[in-house]
Amino acid sequence: MKSTSISILFALLLLGCQQTPKSEVVVAEKPSYKGPFFGVTPSATPKLLAPELLASPSTEYNGTFTPDGTVFFYTTDMPYNAYITFTKMQEDSTWSEPRIASFSGTFSDFDPLFSPDGNRLYFSSSRPEPDNENSKIWYVERQGNDWGAPQRVVLTGEEDNEYYSSLTLDGSIYFNIWSKGDIYKATPQDSIYQTEKLPDAINSGGDKGDPFIDPNETYMIFRGYDNSLGRGDLYITFNIDGHWTAPENLGSPINSDQHEMCPWVSQDGSLFVFASARLEEPLSVKPLDPIKHINGTANSGKLNLYYTSTDFIENFRAKHLAAD
């Protein structure tokens, strides 16, 4: 009797396996991003930038494309260090798996930003030098399909711990000194740069940083904390007749009740990329939940990369022109 029962059970299990064809098994595929700028179409509502490719439980920020939109560099925070990471468009127009850049991976590197012509990539780094452990501005020069050895940018005047180097068409560098909470401009003079602090119209109030300068110097977007919607917000100021306007909060939906930082605008002026720690959906946490349920995804309250259209820039500018 026992042997007969076992035989019947085995037959039923075998029949069940045979009645589940393999063709019914559905495997979810990751979206394939194709074309320059990941093929995204900017909209008024911020969206995660290529989340299946870029977003992770780690912190991602400082996103910047080459002028033609075929290479994307950003910063990834790892234990102990930050590294500059990149992905590039392949021959079939899909994008490669993100990797640490050829000039990064040893020291703490961050804030990648291209020169307007795309031939240099500027970044901040705390790589050691004699008598120096602070963050400084460095750059690498394009050499074929790769990059040359990092070169230090020599500044005069104000100099301390420099971050977020954004360039104009004439080679001037806008950056911030973290310990002072101010934004500066460095103008090239022979082989060095002469540094000056931007006027109080911009630097008054709380700390300022992450300045993205329009290559023509007509506007600047930066990170600030005055009357912010959350931990920190993005602000805009315009250079009108040689004078900077009072900074204005970009407001919702770009800013949120969390932290926004690291603004960047594409060379054609159509795409705005920034970092935000907003949650895409509320966390549902219960007692005895696995910890991976909380911080094992990109929706963890850490910085991720977002994009939107740049229509807001002209909307803000129009208000100033109308007032004049």
Side-chain angles (χ1 to χ4, degrees):
M1 185 69 178
K2 183 177 180 181
S3 175
T4 302
S5 299
I6 293 175
S7 299
I8 294 173
L9 178 60
F10 178 78
L12 290 173
L13 290 172
L14 181 61
L15 180 62
C17 293
Q18 292 173 342
Q19 289 178 342
T20 307
K22 292 183 179 180
S23 60
E24 292 183 5
V25 178
V26 178
V27 178
E29 294 184 1
K30 289 185 177 180
S32 178
Y33 301 101
K34 301 192 73 172
F37 300 100
F38 299 131
V40 301
T41 300
S43 65
T45 303
K47 297 180 180 179
L48 279 168
L49 181 63
E52 288 80 10
L53 184 67
L54 305 176
S56 75
S58 298
T59 299
E60 293 92 23
Y61 52 104
N62 300 134
T64 181
F65 283 97
T66 51
D68 63 0
T70 59
V71 184
F72 184 72
F73 280 84
Y74 62 103
T75 305
T76 302
D77 270 359
M78 300 287 190
Y80 308 112
N81 276 335
Y83 301 122
I84 294 177
T85 315
F86 80 103
T87 174
K88 62 181 179 179
M89 197 175 78
Q90 303 172 114
E91 290 186 1
D92 63 355
S93 293
T94 62
W95 286 76
S96 64
E97 177 187 1
R99 298 179 182 276
I100 293 175
S102 60
F103 54 87
S104 189
T106 302
F107 307 105
S108 192
D109 305 318
F110 34 88
D111 300 346
L113 289 160
F114 280 101
S115 59
D117 61 9
N119 290 325
R120 283 184 177 182
L121 183 70
Y122 287 76
F123 63 99
S124 307
S125 178
S126 58
R127 57 188 60 214
E129 279 196 323
D131 303 321
N132 173 59
E133 295 181 355
N134 288 332
S135 169
K136 298 297 180 184
I137 298 173
W138 297 72
Y139 70 86
V140 287
E141 196 115 34
R142 186 183 294 278
Q143 295 184 352
N145 294 323
D146 205 352
W147 300 91
Q151 304 292 321
R152 166 87 183 280
V153 174
V154 180
L155 302 177
T156 62
E158 293 285 353
E159 186 179 1
D160 193 354
N161 45 0
E162 303 115 25
Y163 293 82
Y164 217 80
S165 44
S166 182
L167 269 76
T168 66
L169 290 174
D170 70 0
S172 295
I173 302 174
Y174 283 69
F175 66 99
N176 68 280
I177 293 181
W178 189 272
S179 60
K180 298 181 179 179
D182 292 321
I183 297 175
Y184 294 77
K185 177 182 179 179
T187 305
Q189 295 182 356
D190 298 324
S191 60
I192 60 174
Y193 289 79
Q194 186 62 46
T195 304
E196 61 178 327
K197 179 182 173 183
L198 293 190
D200 287 343
I202 293 173
N203 281 318
S204 62
D207 289 353
K208 310 292 191 301
D210 299 352
F212 171 82
I213 186 67
D214 164 45
N216 294 301
E217 291 185 273
T218 62
Y219 69 87
M220 181 172 63
I221 304 173
F222 62 90
R223 164 186 49 80
Y225 302 95
D226 296 313
N227 300 315
S228 63
L229 304 182
R231 179 182 168 192
D233 284 351
L234 295 175
Y235 298 76
I236 191 167
T237 177
F238 293 90
N239 187 351
I240 298 178
D241 297 328
H243 300 282
W244 290 101
T245 62
E248 298 173 87
N249 191 306
L250 295 186
S252 177
I254 292 177
N255 289 322
S256 71
D257 60 355
Q258 299 301 315
H259 198 188
E260 278 71 46
M261 57 192 294
C262 304
W264 177 85
V265 177
S266 61
Q267 279 291 92
D268 64 2
S270 65
L271 181 67
F272 180 57
V273 176
F274 65 102
S276 176
R278 70 189 69 192
L279 293 175
E280 284 294 290
E281 56 187 47
L283 286 177
S284 177
V285 180
K286 301 183 295 297
L288 302 182
D289 268 353
I291 195 66
K292 287 185 179 180
H293 176 70
I294 301 172
N295 65 2
T297 69
N299 190 55
S300 61
K302 295 182 179 180
L303 290 169
N304 286 300
L305 293 161
Y306 284 78
Y307 74 95
T308 185
S309 74
T310 56
D311 292 345
F312 68 90
I313 297 175
E314 293 310 313
N315 293 338
F316 275 101
R317 193 199 309 270
K319 292 191 303 180
H320 289 285
L321 296 179
D324 292 342

